[in-house]
Amino acid sequence: MKRRFILIMSCISIAALPLLSLAQTDSPGVQKAMAFIQSLSDTQKSRALYSFDAVTRFNWHFLPPTMVARHGTVVKDMDAHQKQLLYDFMQVYLSEKGFKKTRDIMDFEYYLKEIQPKNPSRIPENQFVAFYGDPSKDKVWGWKFGGHHLALNFTVVDNKLSYAPFFFGVYPAEAESGERKGTRLMKEEEDMALDLINSMSEKQKAKAIFSLSTFNEVVTTNSVHVGPLPDEGISVKEMNSQQKANLNQLIMHYLSAMPPKIAEMRLKHIANEDFNSVKFAWAGNTERKKAHYYRIQGKSFLVEFDNTQDNANHIHTVWRDFRGDFGTDLLKEHYMTAEHHQHK
């Protein structure tokens, strides 16, 4: 079977695809959202529900909420029924793999509390969910879920979904003690990239590795909107067929957090992307357990990975869409269309 080399994006946003099954008001996504919202107490609702134009929609972070406050109602204060309704809702918008990754990262807070019992930031289930707009009646609404090492942002506009920015991280990247010793929650993101960089010739590495030193954090941090980073690294056209396939597999792994239907639909919107211009850029060491960073950048998207903190045992990853973070491109189209109709 001929292997297709797929690199994301088209002129359509990475995060802007029709999702009628998820976004219509009678869809499972909306029904489950409302079931969860209706289960909340008045106090919880006051913390979870916002107007769509609230500026807090753009506030996101990956540090513990004790260090950077979050908006929303917190999981640790929910009863068992509310938690189940929340997880049922989340599973509509995440793939099985993406939901498992989310729960694993949440669960690792228990492990962090075990190994750092005196650290006041180690609070299990200290993740927050917030809704912007009314899913039951609005054509434009959104929701977000986040806490330590998690930031998921969704915007629904006219039955289309924006899924960015999204952030997954883990510390420790490899558990070094206790019953979880040897556990690596995000090993694929690291190992596939290490395999790729180490498959390159010295000439290719000279282009791919743009710095021998690393960054303390993903370069874009928690910026609301981002543009392309400096044009560094090795381009797709300079890779051999196996390296292209490996890069494709790595990108597909990032997309695998999304429901298969969403990822599939996104892959159909790649026609206008200049694949040859996509670049893979590396900084730091090319061995595991030594500080390293990489990014994958196309004309309209960016993936960043870093493992530089805590003796290279602390991973952060983020996916950004230059035009579609927080549904920017969808909203622009929506309001232009709405204005057009108003002048008819």
Side-chain angles (χ1 to χ4, degrees), residues 74-91:
V74 66
V75 175
K76 67 182 178 68
D77 291 344
M78 298 176 192
D79 62 34
H81 178 61
Q82 291 170 331
K83 290 176 185 177
Q84 189 57 57
L85 290 174
L86 172 62
Y87 298 147
D88 288 347
F89 164 65
M90 290 175 66
Q91 287 179 80

Side-chain angles (χ1 to χ4, degrees), residues 332-344:
K332 181 178 180 180
E333 179 184 349
H334 171 81
Y335 293 128
M336 287 178 64
T337 303
E339 183 178 354
H340 170 74
H341 286 309
Q342 290 173 2
H343 289 289
K344 276 191 173 182

Side-chain angles (χ1 to χ4, degrees), residues 223-236:
S223 301
V224 174
H225 295 292
V226 300
L229 295 179
D231 186 21
E232 296 166 320
I234 186 169
S235 64
V236 169

Side-chain angles (χ1 to χ4, degrees), residues 19 43 69 88 124 130 132-133 136 143 167 192 209 224 231 235 259 264 270 281 283-284 299:
L19 285 175
T43 298
D88 288 347
Y132 293 83
S136 68
W143 69 281
F167 180 104
M192 285 193 285
I209 301 173
V224 174
D231 186 21
S235 64
E264 224 174 82
I270 62 173
K299 288 186 174 180

Side-chain angles (χ1 to χ4, degrees), residues 4-23:
R4 288 172 51 190
F5 174 47
I6 302 172
L7 279 173
I8 299 58
M9 302 269 162
S10 66
C11 59
I12 297 178
S13 164
I14 177 64
L17 295 168
L19 285 175
L20 298 179
S21 62
L22 298 187

Side-chain angles (χ1 to χ4, degrees), residues 20-81:
L20 298 179
S21 62
L22 298 187
Q24 290 176 331
T25 56
D26 61 349
S27 73
V30 169
Q31 291 173 1
K32 290 180 183 295
M34 296 312 300
F36 168 68
I37 290 170
Q38 289 164 6
S39 77
L40 299 176
S41 67
D42 289 343
T43 298
Q44 288 172 314
K45 286 179 181 176
S46 71
R47 295 169 179 163
L49 306 181
Y50 299 83
S51 64
F52 184 77
D53 58 1
V55 295
T56 60
R57 188 170 73 89
F58 301 100
N59 294 347
W60 72 280
H61 219 296
F62 44 83
L63 293 179
T66 51
M67 300 173 67
V68 179
R70 304 298 201 277
H71 294 86
T73 192
V74 66
V75 175
K76 67 182 178 68
D77 291 344
M78 298 176 192
D79 62 34
H81 178 61

